[in-house]
Amino acid sequence: MLAGKRILLIIGGGIAAYKSLLLIRLLKSAGAAVTPVLTRAGAEFVTPLSVAALAGEKVHQALFDLTDEAEMGHIQLSRVADLLVVAPATADLMAKLATGRAEDLASNLLLATDTPVLMAPAMNVRMWQHPATQRNLATLTADGVRFVGPDQGEMACGEFGPGRMAEPEAIFAAITAALAEGPLQGRHVLVTSGPTHEPIDPVRYIANRSSGAQGTAIAAALRDLGARVTFVTGPATVPPPYGVTVVKVETARQMLEAVEAALPAAAAVMAAAVADWRVTNEGVQKMKKDGSGKAPALEFAENPDILATLSKGPQRPRLMVGFAAETEHVVDHATAKRARKGCDWIVANDVSPATDIMGGTENAVVLISDTGAEHWPRMAKDQVAKKLAQRIADALQNS
Ligand code: C5P
């Protein structure tokens, strides 16, 4: 899949730079050509010699290199690539691109091209969580930059949390996904998945049994057809797919905020099992038994309906797909839901316990659209996802 492709790999300054050497090997063995660019800070962590030896190409380091200017010019460097990959992407490199600064070779290359960009952030957990970095992340995501990672875990600086660069295999998968040539190439598709958690007090919450399996499979299938996928997920048990931009949320209100921040999109598939209600008298402290035997009275408010809000909103994606998990009268309820929420399609299924669908590996769905109800045979959730992704691609192509 990568044979004949050229990746321009910018190696930023961070201890994770050593993983980029492994990434170069993976890319080379898949038949891709790698144009390496080493920032000044990057060269503090890996040597130009190792990078050049693995890539089998000259390493570009300086903005004003007379030989380069004579040969092709630094601007041309990024234009001949199929994809720009920044790994490790430091907080500084993210900030430079988010604000459009062009100070050194790497930032000039990133600014001087309309070639797709994939970033693999790596930084200290506090730097990652800093509002400035998160703002830059949102800006870059809205500009169409793809992200892989960061992962959560122990970091070289001794701290723990999100900030570790994704493993080379994950970056490789994200590169493959970014270069996937399919009918959804160049389209942005939004997917919600998993349950939401609605807090009762600092330690308790209301949840549901959604595993996130179907939403995850749909995001992966859309990615495989070439889409740029933003995957907004509640606390699911199934890990998110590689090669998509993952936004993790807990509550329904956070999910709506994340979904709106990710617009515009050509299509949206709302597969999340969003809690209908949230607790309004959420305890600031853990609720205690007072010995009287009296149970605490929880008060509820209705959560925003993300599917309906988007379907009726000013930035409505062209194709809105909702889900309906029903336990009886599946087609009738789902048809009514389609009208009520203003979406184009409803993927309806029977989740009564006997079907073993909620949390299971198979699904039997009915696709409700303006042309009626189409019953699909029971199949693996991956197969449902592939079939649905293809239908989405067909619908977007025909409109
Ligand atoms: O109303 P119900 O929960 O059955 O609708 C299911 C569909 O609506 C799913 O697509 C789900 O993701 C979406 N939904 C939503 N926001 C809510 C409730 C449901 O987007 N608050």
Side-chain angles (χ1 to χ4, degrees):
M1 205 171 191
L2 293 184
K5 301 286 185 195
R6 175 164 291 275
I7 311 295
L8 186 131
L9 175 64
I10 296 173
I11 303 177
I15 184 63
Y18 79 92
K19 292 193 201 170
S20 301
L21 299 179
L22 303 174
L23 176 64
I24 296 175
R25 283 189 54 181
L26 290 175
L27 290 168
K28 293 289 289 180
S29 49
V34 178
T35 307
V37 174
L38 198 52
T39 66
R40 211 166 59 183
E44 299 287 334
F45 291 91
V46 290
T47 70
L49 191 59
S50 328
V51 176
L54 287 166
E57 293 197 20
K58 171 186 158 83
V59 181
H60 300 269
Q61 290 181 273
L63 182 54
F64 300 109
D65 178 327
L66 287 180
T67 335
D68 280 351
E69 291 307 319
E71 279 168 7
M72 61 195 281
H74 66 268
I75 302 287
Q76 279 304 100
L77 260 187
S78 54
R79 303 236 175 114
V80 295
D82 296 293
L83 183 70
L84 266 62
V85 177
V86 190
T90 57
D92 179 57
L93 280 168
M94 285 177 63
K96 280 195 177 114
L97 185 58
T99 50
R101 298 177 71 145
E103 295 170 337
D104 53 7
L105 179 60
S107 50
N108 268 274
L109 292 172
L110 287 163
L111 206 60
T113 185
D114 53 7
T115 305
V117 175
L118 171 74
M119 288 189 156
M123 65 196 74
N124 169 274
V125 54
R126 282 184 221 287
M127 290 172 81
W128 174 252
Q129 286 170 340
H130 195 285
T133 306
Q134 290 300 309
R135 254 193 325 270
N136 292 336
L137 173 67
T139 303
L140 292 169
T141 304
D143 288 348
V145 173
R146 290 171 182 251
F147 283 87
V148 52
D151 290 348
Q152 179 131 339
E154 185 118 16
M155 309 185 57
C157 55
E159 290 187 56
F160 187 90
R164 274 171 69 98
M165 188 167 87
E167 293 303 321
E169 292 75 14
I171 303 176
F172 180 82
I175 292 172
T176 310
L179 291 172
E181 280 160 19
L184 289 174
Q185 182 98 45
R187 305 268 198 188
H188 179 213
V189 183
L190 197 56
V191 179
T192 66
S193 182
T196 61
H197 284 182
E198 308 295 332
I200 296 172
D201 65 22
V203 297
R204 304 184 180 95
Y205 54 82
I206 295 173
N208 61 65
R209 292 186 200 283
S210 166
S211 63
Q214 187 63 83
T216 301
I218 291 167
L222 290 162
R223 171 203 68 193
D224 291 344
L225 294 185
R228 177 169 70 84
V229 178
T230 300
F231 184 68
V232 180
T233 178
T237 47
V238 172
Y242 286 144
V244 303
T245 299
V246 179
V247 185
K248 290 187 178 169
V249 297
E250 298 256 326
T251 67
R253 285 191 295 177
Q254 289 167 357
M255 187 172 273
L256 175 62
E257 210 174 292
V259 159
E260 286 184 327
L263 292 173
V269 184
M270 310 273 96
V274 185
D276 289 328
W277 306 94
R278 69 174 180 279
V279 176
T280 48
N281 57 339
E282 180 189 337
V284 183
Q285 306 297 336
K286 186 180 171 200
M287 290 184 185
K288 296 279 186 200
K289 289 183 286 229
D290 63 6
S292 70
K294 218 173 101 212
L298 297 180
E299 286 161 22
F300 292 92
E302 200 167 335
N303 266 329
D305 190 309
I306 303 163
L307 176 60
T309 307
L310 242 62
S311 296
K312 296 170 187 173
Q315 279 192 285
R316 185 193 201 275
R318 189 139 26 104
L319 184 66
M320 286 296 310
V321 184
F323 274 69
E326 305 290 345
T327 51
E328 57 175 0
H329 309 301
V330 175
V331 172
D332 288 351
H333 284 172
T335 305
K337 193 166 289 180
R338 176 177 172 271
R340 201 168 59 239
K341 303 216 182 202
C343 59
D344 301 293
W345 299 349
I346 285 273
V347 181
N349 55 9
D350 183 346
V351 291
S352 35
T355 64
D356 211 15
I357 281 174
M358 197 106 177
T361 56
E362 290 188 338
N363 207 349
V365 309
V366 187
L367 182 67
I368 315 270
S369 67
D370 59 351
T371 56
E374 190 184 309
H375 291 258
W376 292 5
R378 188 175 173 118
M379 54 181 114
K381 285 184 176 173
D382 284 2
Q383 292 306 315
V384 173
K386 285 199 170 93
K387 193 165 163 151
L388 184 65
Q390 190 56 55
R391 293 295 278 271
I392 291 171
D394 294 345
L396 291 180
Q397 231 154 31
N398 295 334
S399 61

